[in-house]
Amino acid sequence: GNKSQDSGIAEMEELPVPHNIKISNITCDSFKISWDMDAKSKDRITHYFIDLNKKENKNSNKFKHKDVPTKLVAKAVPLPMTVRGHWFLSPRTEYTVAVQTASKQVDGDYVVSEWSEIIEFCTADYSKVHLTQLLEKAEVIAGRMLKLSVFYRNQHKEYFDYIREHHGNAMQPSVKDNSGSHGSPISGKLEGIFFSCNTEFNTGKPPQDSPYGRYRFEIAAEKLFNPNTNLYFGDFYCMYTAYHYVILVIAPVGSPGDEFCKQRLPQLNIKDNKFLTCDEEDGVMVYHHAQDVILEVIYTDPVDLSLGTVAEITGHQLMSLSTANAKKDPSCKTCNISVGR
């Protein structure tokens, strides 16, 4: 016999299971979600349960707390529904999501549907709005401006030999690694050549030490940075250290690198910004850089070695200063913004 008749309770119709889930309007820390469901029993739905998880990669910690709640209980609002901030969604991260419909009972318990299918999606990079927030934080600590006259790039002797033999003497842009902010839109995407421009306080010249090799290419600042180039702010980060890094991009006007940056990065006025300036005084180009941050400059076009000089440096190789694929300190108050980590 039918139990519910025996007990005098009418059997409740099952709640509709969400299907055909769609994720849209993805940012670095939010997304919209919608789905289809049968009209039957729709009016009984009071809540949605959303289960959101970082997609496990093979190297992630197997002993992660399984008790960490990943379920969001949301009032049944019209779809699509915006999900933001509830879990501090991280930028550029893969997630899985599944949904249930639920009906809150008089006693406070929920009746729930079956889980929907599991959908995967990836959050976006920082937008220009987020990068502008980072830029503003970087401006606060940039410090006063010091003069510079050259850009330089340290490498091993083999690198320069290779450029001469295989690339007709021209250093080629390569894809930027994943160091810096996790949401940075240039990591793994922008092609360029890294240069430094910081000077020693007492000499006004580049430091004699470097983490990147004993050979240094030096080039007059105006050959890379002048009124025919655009300047963009790329990132601001530290790696559990007292000093901070700012990444700037110099792109010849109209070049592929310039087009890439225009879409994604805040542009700086080359004569007037807190990090790196180029201005004319009495017919001569004069250059200044911020004293209190370490500038990493990416130049987006090939650079011929004949435009500068290559020589061995006398100082040490300070490996501890290397930033290759370095992870940003997510707890630093100075260089993090409040969107996704």
Side-chain angles (χ1 to χ4, degrees), residues 51-65:
D51 189 25
L52 183 81
N53 290 285
K54 264 190 192 172
K55 204 173 150 188
E56 292 292 335
N57 68 22
K58 299 285 173 283
N59 318 330
S60 67
N61 184 353
K62 288 284 172 281
F63 302 102
K64 216 169 76 171
H65 267 308

Side-chain angles (χ1 to χ4, degrees), residues 65-330:
H65 267 308
K66 284 289 170 241
D67 324 329
V68 177
T70 54
K71 277 198 196 69
L72 169 72
V73 179
K75 280 221 162 68
V77 294
L79 299 174
M81 178 176 98
T82 300
V83 177
R84 71 153 53 85
H86 299 88
W87 297 275
F88 289 113
L89 283 163
S90 300
R92 204 187 267 214
T93 304
E94 293 190 330
Y95 289 92
T96 60
V97 66
V99 199
Q100 286 174 314
T101 57
S103 173
K104 193 169 190 176
Q105 307 300 290
V106 185
D107 61 6
D109 277 351
Y110 289 95
V111 175
V112 292
S113 73
E114 298 286 313
W115 281 109
S116 69
E117 78 267 40
I118 294 172
I119 300 289
E120 297 182 1
F121 71 99
C122 187
T123 46
D125 295 332
Y126 283 158
S127 66
K128 268 193 198 176
V129 172
H130 300 118
L131 286 168
T132 301
Q133 292 173 17
L134 264 187
L135 162 63
E136 287 164 358
K137 297 200 90 165
E139 287 174 340
V140 172
I141 69 150
R144 68 185 181 128
M145 303 290 274
L146 301 176
K147 268 194 177 171
L148 74 123
S149 57
V150 298
F151 290 102
Y152 56 95
R153 172 175 172 80
N154 278 66
Q155 280 285 355
H156 301 284
K157 183 173 183 295
E158 294 76 25
Y159 168 83
F160 292 112
D161 291 344
Y162 187 86
I163 294 300
R164 292 185 187 102
E165 280 171 44
H166 299 276
H167 288 295
N169 217 37
M171 295 187 288
Q172 300 298 315
S174 60
V175 176
K176 187 198 165 296
D177 69 6
N178 285 313
S179 59
S181 299
H182 190 54
S184 165
I186 58 178
S187 291
K189 294 181 184 174
L190 178 68
E191 296 193 2
I193 306 170
F194 259 109
F195 285 92
S196 301
C197 64
N198 290 70
T199 54
E200 286 191 314
F201 185 68
N202 47 359
T203 65
K205 291 189 164 57
Q208 276 302 313
D209 304 319
S210 163
Y212 300 111
R214 297 202 56 80
Y215 283 77
R216 175 173 290 170
F217 171 73
E218 255 183 45
I219 184 168
E222 64 215 44
K223 291 193 174 155
L224 295 188
F225 186 35
N226 53 60
N228 299 318
T229 54
N230 282 328
L231 181 68
Y232 297 91
F233 172 82
D235 201 2
F236 176 45
Y237 69 101
C238 72
M239 304 173 296
Y240 305 91
T241 50
Y243 39 87
H244 277 84
Y245 294 86
V246 168
I247 298 180
L248 302 175
V249 184
I250 297 176
V253 173
S255 67
D258 191 34
E259 292 308 314
F260 178 94
C261 294
K262 247 192 193 66
Q263 317 282 319
R264 297 168 180 84
L265 305 180
Q267 188 170 346
L268 301 173
N269 177 343
I270 65 169
K271 293 183 175 185
D272 180 23
N273 67 78
K274 292 273 197 285
F275 311 108
L276 182 67
T277 59
C278 149
D279 210 354
E280 204 175 309
E281 290 176 20
D282 305 326
V284 180
M285 286 301 200
V286 181
Y287 293 86
H288 288 88
H289 71 88
Q291 172 188 326
D292 293 337
V293 290
I294 299 176
L295 294 179
E296 299 182 298
V297 177
I298 300 176
Y299 186 78
T300 61
D301 270 12
V303 176
D304 200 291
L305 293 178
S306 65
L307 294 173
T309 56
V310 176
E312 193 169 358
I313 56 169
T314 56
H316 305 283
Q317 254 189 274
L318 303 174
M319 288 318 293
S320 62
L321 284 175
S322 170
T323 60
N325 282 313
K327 289 288 163 262
K328 177 171 179 170
D329 176 357

